[in-house]
């Protein structure tokens, strides 16, 4: 895993120790010295190459404006970086990470039970606890995916599948609530009052008049469209909430909680000599996770592909998943997240939200026997969310630090 100003992002420098950089670019590695963000999910890039012309295979190039590999410390301090005296191993890095995330999972579960008591049901604390529970479950599942060879494969596959089911169930209610708020706010902005035209500008006045007429026509259906979306999404959110409560009370969830509780004290290791050899180093699977991310980004459709095509969304969703796995792997190997990928990750999150909101608007527009004004408002709303999709893609390309990955065919 490589950072733009380093040879590699997931491979710690030999004899690295915490907080002892020499400011010359050759000191000990840390989240800043050894940038990169391998996510826990087997999707990372290959070993870092020395600085120089970027390879045509997706090797990240230096970020514009960043220092080369010999620059003095250009990134933030590596808070939480544990430091390695050699290559990170399952015993030295992965097991402590999994135990820590398992402890966070159990702590969040306890808080969720406390905040979900009848006196506090539905409060802000319960929502925060559910989000923390999902975060821990995603990190455990992603790490099990990326570093499967360093663990008992059967156990890792089984627990990862169960955690994926749990996070999917818990995320739906939150997703529907955010989608409804996003769409209602967008309708309000689209149908709001127009700005006054400049004095003495006849053309501006005519344009403002036409815009006012369009907004008036939109306003007729905007209220009904908002009511329709609220009915549909509130119903979906209520059903998701019920499904989440059922899941948290099921025997399947209790089995997951038991497995995570065991993980907090013991991480199952592979059996046999071959398994022990595979668990010796975590760099190869982390770099594989990074390479998969770079390959996925290089395969994203270019900006000039013409009118928006919804079939392209899947490739962007895949890149978001691989970036998350890369980030988790980076946390395991280097002890912290890569700040250089924070902005691209945020852009991909916005892209996902805009895509799902546009899909909700389109689905509502297909409701039988709705008024033409309502359908018109939903059509305008759908187009607005599609613009949000394109804006998120542009933001990702502007903030993505590895230019060669985007330039690849």
């Amino acid at each position: 895993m490589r950072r733009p100003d380093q040879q590699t992002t997931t491979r710690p420098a030999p004899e690295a120790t915490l907080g002892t950089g020499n400011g010359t670019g050759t000191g000990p590695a840390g989240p800043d010295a050894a940038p990169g963000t391998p996510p826990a999910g087997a999707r990372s890039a290959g070993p870092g190459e020395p600085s120089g012309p970027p390879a045509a295979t997706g090797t990240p190039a230096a970020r514009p404006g960043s220092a080369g590999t010999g620059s003095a410390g250009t990134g933030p301090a590596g808070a939480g970086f544990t430091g390695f005296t050699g290559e990170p191993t399952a015993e030295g890095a992965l097991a402590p990470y999994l135990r820590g995330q398992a402890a966070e999972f159990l702590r969040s579960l306890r808080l969720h039970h406390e905040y979900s008591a009848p006196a506090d049901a539905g409060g802000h604390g319960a929502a925060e606890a559910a989000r923390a529970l999902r975060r821990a479950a995603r990190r455990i599942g992603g790490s099990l995916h990326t570093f499967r060879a360093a663990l008992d494969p059967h156990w890792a596959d089984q627990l990862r599948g169960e955690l994926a089911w749990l996070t999917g169930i818990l995320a739906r209610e939150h997703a529907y609530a955010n989608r409804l708020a996003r769409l209602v706010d967008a309708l309000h902005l689209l149908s709001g009052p127009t700005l006054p035209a400049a004095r003495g500008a006849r053309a501006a006045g005519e344009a403002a008049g036409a815009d006012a007429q369009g907004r008036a026509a939109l306003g007729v259906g905007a209220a009904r469209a908002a009511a329709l979306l609220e009915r549909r999404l509130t119903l979906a959110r209520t059903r998701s909430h019920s499904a989440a409560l059922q899941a948290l009370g099921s025997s399947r969830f209790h089995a997951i909680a038991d497995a995570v509780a065991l993980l907090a004290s013991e991480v199952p290791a592979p059996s046999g000599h071959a398994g022990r050899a595979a668990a010796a180093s975590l760099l190869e699977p982390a770099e594989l996770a990074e390479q998969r991310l770079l390959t996925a980004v290089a395969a994203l459709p270019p900006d000039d592909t013409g009118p928006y095509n919804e079939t392209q969304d899947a490739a962007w969703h895949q890149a978001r998943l691989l970036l998350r796995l890369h980030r988790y792997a980076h946390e395991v190997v280097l002890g912290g997240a890569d700040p250089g990928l924070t902005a691209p990750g945020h852009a991909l999150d916005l892209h996902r939200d805009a895509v799902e909101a546009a899909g909700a608007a389109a689905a509502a527009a297909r409701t039988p026997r709705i008024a033409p004004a309502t359908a018109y408002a939903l059509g305008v709303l759908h187009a607005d969310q599609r613009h949000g999709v394109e804006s998120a893609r542009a933001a990702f390309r502007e903030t993505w630090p590895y230019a060669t990955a985007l330039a690849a065919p």
Side-chain angles (χ1 to χ4, degrees):
M1 306 171 45
R2 311 176 192 80
R3 189 180 278 183
D5 56 350
Q6 296 285 337
Q7 288 186 343
T8 178
T9 53
T10 50
R11 186 176 293 276
E15 305 301 327
T17 56
L18 177 59
T20 57
N22 57 14
T24 64
T26 58
D32 183 61
T37 315
R43 292 162 194 176
S44 191
E49 297 293 337
S51 59
T57 58
T59 301
R63 190 180 308 175
S66 65
T69 56
S71 62
T74 58
F81 177 59
T82 56
F84 298 104
T85 57
E87 291 192 346
T89 63
E91 295 79 7
L94 180 58
Y97 180 84
L98 289 176
R99 286 195 293 267
Q101 294 302 323
E104 178 63 24
F105 180 97
L106 298 174
R107 183 162 46 247
S108 302
L109 179 60
R110 176 178 56 81
L111 291 175
H112 187 272
H113 286 328
E114 292 178 358
Y115 287 124
S116 298
D120 301 325
H124 179 70
E128 286 296 327
R131 279 193 286 270
L133 188 66
R134 294 201 312 270
R135 282 195 299 269
R138 285 197 304 264
R139 279 168 167 77
I140 295 172
S143 300
L144 296 180
H145 177 73
T146 300
F147 304 108
R148 178 178 180 271
L151 303 164
D152 182 337
H154 176 73
W155 168 84
D157 292 341
Q158 185 177 25
L159 181 55
R160 179 169 60 89
E162 293 299 285
L163 290 173
W165 166 79
L166 176 62
T167 54
I169 289 289
L170 296 179
R172 289 173 192 166
E173 179 184 0
H174 177 71
Y176 283 125
N178 285 352
R179 201 170 306 157
L180 176 60
R182 179 188 181 100
L183 290 172
V184 171
D185 289 345
L187 274 175
H188 176 73
L189 292 175
L190 291 171
S191 60
T194 59
L195 295 175
R199 291 183 179 180
R202 180 177 179 182
E206 294 175 352
D211 183 65
Q213 292 178 356
R215 285 183 180 270
L218 177 60
V220 172
R224 292 181 178 179
L228 175 61
L229 287 168
E230 187 168 0
R231 287 196 303 270
R232 290 173 60 93
L233 294 177
T234 300
L235 177 60
R237 180 186 179 185
T238 301
R239 290 175 174 172
S240 298
H241 180 71
S242 299
L245 290 179
Q246 287 182 339
L248 291 175
S250 66
S251 58
R252 183 176 184 180
F253 172 75
H254 287 300
I256 296 174
D258 291 342
V260 174
L262 292 175
L263 178 63
S265 59
E266 180 182 0
V267 178
S271 59
H273 178 74
R276 289 191 296 272
S281 175
L282 305 179
L283 291 179
E284 183 176 351
E287 290 172 345
L288 176 60
E290 184 187 51
Q291 187 59 53
R292 288 177 176 174
L293 169 62
L294 296 176
T295 301
V297 173
L300 291 175
D303 292 331
D304 55 352
T305 53
Y308 177 78
N309 186 351
E310 294 185 1
T311 60
Q312 299 174 356
D313 292 341
W316 288 87
H317 293 328
Q318 179 70 3
R320 176 179 173 273
L321 172 63
L322 294 177
L323 180 58
R324 171 180 288 178
L325 294 172
H326 173 67
R327 184 171 71 247
Y328 297 162
H330 191 280
E331 292 176 359
V332 172
V333 174
L334 292 179
D338 179 9
L341 294 179
T342 299
H346 180 63
L348 290 179
D349 288 341
L350 293 178
H351 177 274
R352 184 271 317 269
D353 294 342
V355 167
E356 293 180 347
R366 292 192 290 269
T367 302
R369 298 183 299 277
I370 61 174
T374 306
Y376 172 70
L378 290 170
V380 174
L381 179 62
H382 177 268
D384 175 71
Q385 296 304 306
R386 296 313 316 185
H387 285 304
V389 172
E390 295 173 354
S391 298
R393 293 181 179 181
F396 174 80
R397 294 181 185 280
E398 291 173 359
T399 57
W400 180 248
Y402 306 133
T404 54
L406 289 176

